[in-house]
């Protein structure tokens, strides 16, 4: 562990030295891919240079004024700008640049809402705010979702032509269709494909019969697939236990290059939109290969020997197994058990003893991991819209934060993923790894500036995991906490997939893969297929192939995440509008996140969205003063972190925002 730390610190210092050297070469032209933000600025991930030197590990920051006519995802040529000196006590800022040429457009079509004046507002907030329509409307009327071909940009204005009409904005089915079209997501499998998948027979491989194990599954109460299960028994030596993590052996049914392997690869992973589920595999096959209670199931199992006292994983082994699930549990009833609430009558003593042992063990494993890997934990709730898939009726909004029941399962899955990742490296099997880069210095500096200016706090060097955890633990338990944690999350880079075992910053791991969800994630299925080939003495796929799969899955995951955010945000606004029209209680508690010249950006925690209070909706005359807003005549003021009680005034669907006024206005 000390060697890993020294190696990591040496690599960080080498990165900083390379960055300082590269900054001397101002005016250098490089190529790369642009990623835009909703705020109008972007980052360019650079290609390797013409002399075959590796690409810089830092993305190039592109200020909004230097984006030019480039769009999100375009391949561009960027000119590096002179370096900016770092501020005292903050990480060095990364390179900045100016886009001088668009080499290749990622897209030539978009989805948007037709507005008055022959204008289209794109659904994707990373695209230009408005596009002017040229030519015929093809039957589209104001308020319709349309497909638009981009024709180009002139003097800062974009133009395009309508190529089709999707449906009426505001109709939930049409809203979801628009999201699927914008992010190019695959639709559900057909009935014919589902029937074909049901007929798929498994391949055979040498298996260990482990029906003597006491096996349980723990999933959400409404889960439709069951690809992981757990068992626990005495370890091989005193003071140890053997934790079994059993994963559905999906590779038995989906060999590489088969029809449904190619279909799964084109989807990347299952997509769960509110009111629209798009599974990676046909539902009939998913049901067939799930680990069902009371049935003999094919599994790919990882057995971990764990020290009972310290929670440290001592060693591991894999087996293709036959298991039988004894009990199917859900997170709610497991959490009740943890909290000491009365358990279901059908739970026998063996189940209760096993659960208690699992709870005790995973607590120790988590504590051990916190000490040795210093993982970053951001306790933020996941807020999702509940929408009936049959009727497309919004049923409400649900906020969920990980409890000990979820943490129990997560700890077991993390251990299995780590064990498999390490084995791939040790055996030289080409694999796919889950990686998470260290925070970008530019984004970290922006986060520090925002927190310092708005809240008067000094986060320190959040590119250092220990310092980041120290900052999180120091946050006061008051309204500022959730706003600051949300901002911190947005400042961190995305996790992605790679053919090389690189750092996972948030987890503090270096040889980490995804293995435990092969029914719903293609990278997991690919790892299963590679191990199946290795175990059966067949040729595994090359690292070049893994590189292609990793890149494709990363891109698909980003599109699916963006689609999920867009669908949830859209339906949250629809939910608010329905409440306003029905005369339901119209009072919301918010926390001021930012004070802008135009008004207040407010986080509405119970809804998981940001609302806006225009300055003209405030009581009296106000002017912005630094990070706060003060009444011109009077003592009233607003600053980040303040509670504010609001009433919904209206929904601006064209801009995708909820407009509020202070309660009582």
């Amino acid at each position: 562990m000390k060697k890993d730390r020294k190696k990591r610190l040496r690599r960080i210092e080498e990165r900083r030295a390379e960055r300082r050297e590269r900054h001397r070469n101002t005016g250098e032209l490089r190529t790369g891919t642009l990623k835009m933000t909703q705020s109008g600025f972007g980052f360019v991930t650079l290609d390797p240079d013409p002399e075959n030197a590796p690409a810089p590990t830092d993305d190039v920051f592109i200020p909004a004024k230097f984006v030019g006519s480039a769009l999100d995802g375009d391949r561009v040529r960027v000119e590096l700008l002179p370096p900016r000196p770092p501020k005292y006590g903050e990480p060095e800022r990364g390179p900045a640049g100016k886009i001088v040429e668009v080499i290749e457009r990622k897209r030539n079509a978009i989805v948007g809402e037709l507005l008055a004046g022959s204008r289209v507002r794109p659904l994707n907030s990373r695209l230009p705010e408005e596009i002017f329509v040229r030519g015929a409307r093809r039957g589209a009327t104001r308020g319709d979702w349309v497909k638009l071909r981009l024709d180009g940009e002139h003097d800062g204005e974009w133009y395009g032509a309508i190529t089709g009409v999707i449906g009426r904005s505001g109709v939930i089915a049409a809203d979801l269709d628009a999201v699927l079209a914008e992010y190019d997501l695959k639709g559900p499998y057909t009935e014919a494909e589902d029937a074909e998948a049901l007929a798929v027979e498994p391949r055979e491989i040498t298996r260990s019969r482990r029906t003597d194990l006491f096996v349980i599954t723990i999933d959400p109460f409404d889960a439709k697939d069951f690809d992981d299960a757990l068992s626990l028994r005495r370890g091989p030596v005193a003071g140890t236990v053997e934790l079994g993590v059993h994963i559905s052996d999906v590779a038995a049914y989906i060999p590489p290059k088969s029809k449904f392997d190619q279909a799964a690869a084109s989807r990347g992973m299952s997509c769960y939109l509110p009111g629209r589920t798009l599974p990676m595999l046909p539902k009939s096959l998913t049901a067939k290969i799930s680990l069902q209670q009371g049935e003999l199931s094919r599994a790919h199992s990882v057995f971990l020997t764990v020290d009972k006292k310290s929670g440290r994983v001592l060693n591991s082994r894999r087996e293709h197994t036959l298991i039988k699930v004894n009990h199917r549990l859900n997170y709610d009833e497991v959490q009740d058990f943890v909290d000491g609430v009365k358990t279901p009558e059908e739970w026998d003593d063996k189940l209760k003893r096993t659960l208690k042992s699992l709870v005790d063990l995973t607590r120790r494993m988590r504590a051990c991991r916190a000490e040795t890997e210093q993982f970053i934990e951001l306790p933020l709730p996941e807020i999702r819209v509940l929408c009936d898939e049959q009727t497309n009726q919004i049923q409400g909004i649900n906020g969920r934060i990980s409890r000990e029941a979820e943490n129990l399962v997560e700890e077991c899955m993390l251990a299995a993923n780590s064990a498999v990742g390490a084995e791939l490296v040790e055996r030289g099997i080409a694999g796919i790894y889950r990686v998470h880069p260290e925070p970008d210095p530019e984004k970290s500096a922006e986060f520090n500036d925002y927190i310092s200016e708005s809240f008067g706090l000094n986060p320190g060097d959040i590119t250092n995991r220990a310092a980041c955890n120290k900052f999180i633990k120091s946050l006061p338990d008051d309204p500022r906490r959730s706003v600051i944690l949300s901002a911190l999350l947005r400042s961190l880079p995305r996790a992605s997939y790679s053919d090389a075992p690189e750092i996972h910053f948030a987890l503090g791991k270096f040889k980490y893969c995804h293995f435990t969800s092969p029914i719903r994630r293609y990278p997991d299925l690919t790892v299963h297929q590679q191990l199946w080939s290795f175990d059966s003495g067949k040729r595994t796929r090359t690292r070049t192939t893994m590189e292609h799969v990793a890149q494709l899955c990363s891109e698909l995951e980003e599109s699916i995440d963006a689609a999920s955010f867009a669908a949830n945000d859209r339906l949250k606004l629809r939910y608010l509008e329905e409440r306003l029209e029905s005369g339901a209680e119209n009072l919301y508690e918010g926390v001021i996140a930012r004070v802008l010249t135009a008004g207040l950006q407010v986080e509405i925690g119970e809804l998981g969205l940001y609302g806006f209070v225009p300055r003209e909706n405030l009581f009296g005359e106000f002017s912005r003063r630094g990070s706060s807003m003060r009444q011109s005549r009077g003592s009233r003021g607003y600053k980040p972190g303040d509670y504010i009680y609001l009433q919904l005034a209206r929904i601006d669907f064209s801009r995708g925002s909820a407009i509020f006024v202070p309660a009582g206005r």
Side-chain angles (χ1 to χ4, degrees):
M1 201 59 66
K2 288 183 178 179
K3 289 182 179 179
D4 287 343
R5 178 174 174 79
K6 289 181 179 178
K7 184 178 179 181
R8 183 166 70 254
L9 291 173
R10 185 169 62 250
R11 189 171 70 238
I12 292 172
E13 184 53 42
E14 288 172 353
R15 281 185 56 193
R16 289 174 174 170
E18 290 171 0
R19 187 188 304 133
R20 288 192 292 269
E21 179 64 29
R22 187 167 65 251
H23 278 189
R24 296 190 182 100
N25 301 322
T26 57
E28 178 184 359
L29 296 177
R30 297 292 299 272
T31 60
T33 303
L34 173 67
K35 290 292 183 183
M36 290 297 297
T37 69
Q38 295 182 11
S39 301
F41 58 86
F43 293 87
V44 172
T45 301
L46 296 180
D47 302 327
D49 73 17
E51 298 178 0
N52 295 320
T57 53
D58 296 322
D59 290 344
V60 178
F61 171 65
I62 309 295
K65 62 181 179 180
F66 291 146
V67 170
S69 63
L71 299 175
D72 183 59
D74 287 350
R75 289 200 70 249
V76 298
R77 197 178 311 279
V78 59
E79 177 184 348
L80 298 183
L81 298 173
R84 296 151 296 159
K87 294 184 178 181
Y88 177 76
E90 292 184 353
E92 286 188 78
R93 294 183 178 237
K98 173 182 180 181
I99 293 176
V100 296
E101 181 187 357
V102 175
I103 300 172
E104 182 182 357
R105 292 281 186 207
K106 178 185 179 181
R107 58 194 304 153
N108 57 16
I110 62 105
V111 170
E113 182 181 352
L114 182 61
L115 308 177
S118 294
R119 297 167 298 136
V120 168
R121 186 179 299 280
L123 173 66
N124 189 336
S125 59
R126 295 184 178 186
L127 295 174
E129 190 171 309
E130 288 185 348
I131 299 171
F132 289 91
V133 176
R134 286 174 169 170
R137 292 191 175 190
R138 298 185 178 275
T141 60
R142 179 180 176 183
D144 282 347
W145 289 116
V146 297
K147 295 180 180 179
L148 194 74
R149 184 189 70 240
L150 291 176
D151 288 340
E153 177 262 352
H154 181 69
D155 289 339
E157 292 184 346
W158 283 86
Y159 297 88
I162 293 176
T163 60
V165 180
I166 296 174
R168 194 71 180 164
S169 172
V171 176
I172 290 176
D175 288 349
L176 294 175
D177 288 341
V179 169
L180 265 60
E182 168 59 29
Y183 295 99
D184 196 25
L185 302 185
K186 301 285 185 182
Y189 287 94
T190 65
E191 291 185 6
E193 289 172 323
D194 210 50
E196 183 179 355
L198 186 59
V200 171
E201 292 297 326
R203 299 183 289 170
E204 293 303 326
I205 198 171
T206 301
R207 294 187 183 277
S208 303
R209 191 177 184 91
R210 299 295 183 188
T211 51
D212 58 315
L213 295 173
F214 187 78
V215 180
I216 62 173
T217 62
I218 307 175
D219 295 279
F221 76 94
D222 57 351
K224 297 179 176 60
D225 56 70
F226 308 91
D227 56 5
D228 60 79
L230 302 173
S231 65
L232 192 65
R233 64 179 180 182
R234 289 180 181 177
V237 297
T240 68
V241 292
E242 184 181 79
L243 172 63
V245 180
H246 311 281
I247 308 302
S248 174
D249 207 346
V250 184
Y253 298 84
I254 312 291
K257 298 183 179 180
S258 62
K259 176 177 179 177
F260 290 110
D261 174 63
Q262 293 174 341
S266 69
R267 287 164 168 78
M269 55 203 66
S270 296
C271 176
Y272 304 99
L273 303 181
R276 193 76 60 89
T277 299
L278 306 172
M280 185 181 79
L281 296 172
K283 60 183 180 181
S284 61
L285 184 57
T286 294
K288 185 175 182 179
I289 61 184
S290 285
L291 306 177
Q292 304 284 5
Q293 180 177 344
E295 296 182 8
L296 197 63
S297 300
R298 294 173 175 83
H300 197 161
S301 301
V302 178
F303 292 97
L304 304 153
T305 301
V306 186
D307 183 83
K308 288 176 64 176
K309 186 175 181 180
S310 69
R312 185 164 63 92
V313 177
L314 303 176
N315 55 60
S316 66
R317 74 179 193 280
R318 280 187 309 104
E319 293 180 9
H320 296 270
T321 58
L322 288 172
I323 64 168
K324 185 175 289 188
V325 175
N326 298 87
H327 288 278
R328 172 182 165 185
L329 311 177
N330 66 63
Y331 287 125
D332 293 336
E333 57 192 10
V334 171
Q335 188 60 45
D336 284 345
F337 174 81
V338 172
D339 294 338
V341 178
K342 184 178 179 181
T343 57
E345 292 183 1
E346 63 270 20
W347 283 21
D348 56 29
D349 290 340
K350 187 172 185 179
L351 173 58
K352 294 175 185 178
R353 288 195 306 270
T354 300
L355 264 184
K356 184 180 184 305
S357 297
L358 273 172
V359 170
D360 292 341
L361 179 67
T362 52
R363 282 174 178 171
R364 289 180 168 83
M365 290 173 66
R366 191 174 183 86
C368 177
R369 194 164 57 86
E371 180 181 353
T372 58
E373 299 175 344
Q374 297 183 325
F375 64 89
I376 293 174
E377 185 175 19
L378 295 175
L380 287 167
E382 179 186 7
I383 311 294
R384 294 182 61 88
V385 176
L386 303 178
C387 182
D388 187 273
E389 294 204 22
Q390 303 300 320
T391 65
N392 282 144
Q393 297 295 311
I394 298 176
Q395 300 168 321
I397 290 181
N398 178 49
R400 184 179 68 84
I401 193 165
S402 290
R403 303 163 296 178
E404 189 160 6
E406 286 86 2
N407 291 341
L408 182 159
V409 175
E410 179 191 41
E411 206 59 44
C412 299
M413 300 305 118
L414 286 170
N417 286 337
S418 296
V420 172
E423 183 184 355
L424 291 173
V425 174
E426 291 163 7
R427 294 185 181 276
I429 304 170
I432 294 178
Y433 301 88
R434 187 65 169 175
V435 300
H436 183 220
E438 293 165 336
D440 182 274
E442 188 69 41
K443 292 183 180 179
S444 299
E446 287 189 356
F447 170 76
N448 281 22
D449 288 345
Y450 165 57
I451 298 302
S452 176
E453 178 185 352
S454 300
F455 300 95
L457 301 175
N458 179 19
D461 183 6
I462 64 168
T463 64
N464 177 283
R465 198 161 46 250
C468 188
N469 277 324
K470 182 178 179 181
F471 171 65
I472 293 172
K473 291 177 181 177
S474 73
L475 291 178
D477 189 16
D478 64 23
R480 296 174 293 175
R481 183 178 177 84
S482 65
V483 178
I484 293 171
L485 289 177
S486 295
L488 175 58
L489 179 62
R490 291 193 299 274
S491 75
L492 297 177
R494 282 184 61 86
S496 61
Y497 294 102
S498 172
D499 63 295
E502 300 170 353
I503 187 173
H504 193 298
F505 176 77
L507 291 178
K509 296 180 180 292
F510 288 90
K511 300 174 185 177
Y512 184 70
C513 76
H514 274 174
F515 171 80
T516 54
S517 293
I519 286 179
R520 61 181 181 88
R521 289 190 307 227
Y522 191 70
D524 304 51
L525 174 55
T526 301
V527 169
H528 275 251
Q529 291 170 339
Q530 288 287 86
L531 292 172
W532 179 288
S533 296
F534 178 83
D535 293 343
S536 57
K538 296 180 180 178
R539 186 176 180 180
T540 59
R541 285 172 287 183
T542 66
R543 182 166 174 175
T544 300
T545 300
M546 294 298 101
E547 180 182 16
H548 172 73
V549 173
Q551 181 179 352
L552 177 62
C553 287
S554 295
E555 293 172 354
L556 289 170
E557 181 186 45
E558 189 167 357
S559 292
I560 289 170
D561 284 350
S564 180
F565 286 132
N568 270 284
D569 286 350
R570 187 83 187 178
L571 267 61
K572 285 175 185 175
L573 296 180
R574 186 64 56 196
Y575 170 75
L576 285 176
E577 183 186 54
E578 289 179 359
R579 284 179 57 85
L580 189 63
E581 292 176 348
S582 69
E585 182 181 358
N586 185 18
L587 181 65
Y588 300 92
E589 183 182 80
V591 179
I592 298 174
R594 289 182 184 272
V595 174
L596 308 170
T597 302
L600 309 176
Q601 184 187 58
V602 182
E603 182 186 73
I604 315 294
E606 64 184 286
L607 302 174
L609 59 74
Y610 285 94
F612 187 69
V613 183
R615 187 169 63 176
E616 58 267 23
N617 286 357
L618 300 175
F619 296 96
E621 294 290 329
F622 282 83
S623 60
R624 184 184 177 190
R625 299 178 186 177
S627 62
S628 64
M629 187 172 287
R630 303 296 301 178
Q631 200 169 26
S632 301
R633 295 181 180 179
S635 59
R636 185 185 293 269
Y638 298 99
K639 66 181 187 301
D642 285 351
Y643 269 128
I644 183 171
Y645 290 91
L646 304 171
Q647 289 179 306
L648 179 65
R650 60 187 176 87
I651 301 295
D652 185 346
F653 280 105
S654 65
R655 295 184 180 275
S657 62
I659 309 301
F660 290 86
V661 298
R665 177 65 191 267

